[in-house]
Amino acid sequence: MAPEQTLNLSGKTALISGAGVGIGRASALALANAGAFVGIHYYSSEAGAKALYDELTAKQYGCMLLPADLTDEAQAKRVVDQLTAKTGRLDILVNNSGGLVKRAKIEDCTLENWRKSLDINVTSAFLLTKQAIPYLRATGSGRIINLLSLSVQTGGANGGGAYAAAKGGLMVFTHTLAKELAPEVRTNSIMPGTVETQHHEIHSTPEMMENYRKQTPLGRNTYAEEVASAVLFLASDMSSHMNGALLDISGGRFLR
């Protein structure tokens, strides 16, 4: 018999890394609106995380703030320990933390840039996931969702090679987890297009953003809320037979 198909997350606990801004914030809102208790992880975006916490608590949604540097194993463990001590369970993990450290072609990329790119995008996901696995497995229906980047398609245009390599590693990590953890845990990934968020306000010029819009068949860049809808879908029973999949939310920008 097919599992019940619903977006209802009532009674479930979700942990979203990097939830203070952008896709992480939108995802936290989407999962909370669906009934999940939300662990709001943040590192550098304290103001955004606290504003999100205030917004969710004002709606009487269950949530808690979880500050940590996820590249440190002890701090990653503390995040999971604190959340599960509060709720007694962990059903959904959204590995969203990360970012582009600095644009540089590989021949000009410093070892520091390379290592930091891997640490904040891949190592952080590895450490958080490792701590979360026992709790996700215990539910019998855990879900892991990894946020990639369109750079896994482009190879990192405009000096984003180190970032692209890191996100490519996260894509392979998705496949590894999908094999190792099923059937108790399903693992999938999302490849957003160019998203209208703070990330591109920092790392992309207005001219670059306009070019990205022109390259997209739908004529515009992606919104964080659209990516969050995909996160909700993968976190829910609506995606009950998806494992190791990649959802492209880019408006068709890389159609072949």
Side-chain angles (χ1 to χ4, degrees):
M1 180 180 295
E4 181 183 2
Q5 303 292 288
T6 176
L7 292 172
N8 184 7
L9 300 180
S10 297
K12 299 189 182 298
T13 297
L15 171 57
I16 299 99
S17 67
V21 296
I23 293 171
R25 183 183 190 280
S27 297
L29 280 167
L31 298 190
N33 282 328
F37 184 101
V38 174
I40 304 168
H41 162 265
Y42 69 92
Y43 179 50
S44 59
S45 300
E46 180 178 5
K50 289 184 174 179
L52 174 61
Y53 175 84
D54 290 342
E55 182 175 349
L56 294 182
T57 54
K59 296 179 179 179
Q60 298 186 326
Y61 291 161
C63 61
M64 70 182 299
L65 290 168
L66 297 163
D69 176 358
L70 296 180
T71 65
D72 179 272
E73 187 168 14
Q75 294 188 52
K77 182 178 186 302
R78 187 186 70 215
V79 164
V80 174
D81 287 348
Q82 288 179 338
L83 180 58
T84 54
K86 174 77 172 179
T87 66
R89 62 187 298 144
L90 178 57
D91 304 83
I92 302 156
L93 172 62
V94 182
N95 284 312
N96 170 72
S97 283
L100 193 156
V101 177
K102 182 180 180 180
R103 292 191 184 277
K105 292 184 177 180
I106 293 300
E107 62 185 318
D108 302 316
C109 182
T110 64
L111 181 58
E112 180 185 13
N113 186 348
W114 178 263
R115 284 178 170 165
K116 189 172 182 179
S117 296
L118 294 177
D119 279 348
I120 67 173
N121 290 288
V122 184
T123 304
S124 63
F126 159 69
L127 292 174
L128 194 60
T129 301
K130 182 179 178 182
Q131 299 300 327
I133 285 173
Y135 299 96
L136 295 167
R137 182 178 277 141
T139 69
S141 59
R143 300 95 195 259
I144 299 172
I145 301 146
N146 294 326
L147 271 296
L148 308 182
S149 159
L150 57 82
S151 64
V152 301
Q153 292 265 22
T154 67
N158 303 306
Y163 175 68
K167 289 297 188 178
L170 190 58
M171 181 170 65
V172 175
F173 187 51
T174 300
H175 299 162
T176 300
L177 295 172
K179 288 185 175 182
E180 290 188 356
L181 303 183
E184 293 85 5
V185 182
R186 296 187 292 107
T187 308
N188 294 289
S189 60
I190 297 172
M191 186 189 74
T194 300
V195 185
E196 299 279 358
T197 61
Q198 178 182 341
H199 172 95
H200 284 287
E201 291 176 5
I202 296 171
H203 297 291
S204 301
T205 65
E207 292 76 20
M208 290 168 65
M209 293 296 282
E210 183 58 30
N211 284 334
Y212 297 149
R213 296 183 189 103
K214 291 177 180 178
Q215 294 165 13
T216 304
L218 289 185
R220 62 172 176 82
N221 293 327
T222 311
Y223 294 112
E225 292 77 10
E226 293 172 316
V227 182
S229 293
V231 171
L232 173 59
F233 170 69
L234 291 176
S236 76
D237 294 333
M238 294 291 285
S239 58
S240 57
H241 208 243
M242 293 181 67
N243 187 44
L246 185 154
L247 292 184
D248 181 330
I249 315 293
S250 68
R253 185 171 164 198
F254 293 103
L255 288 173
R256 296 292 186 262

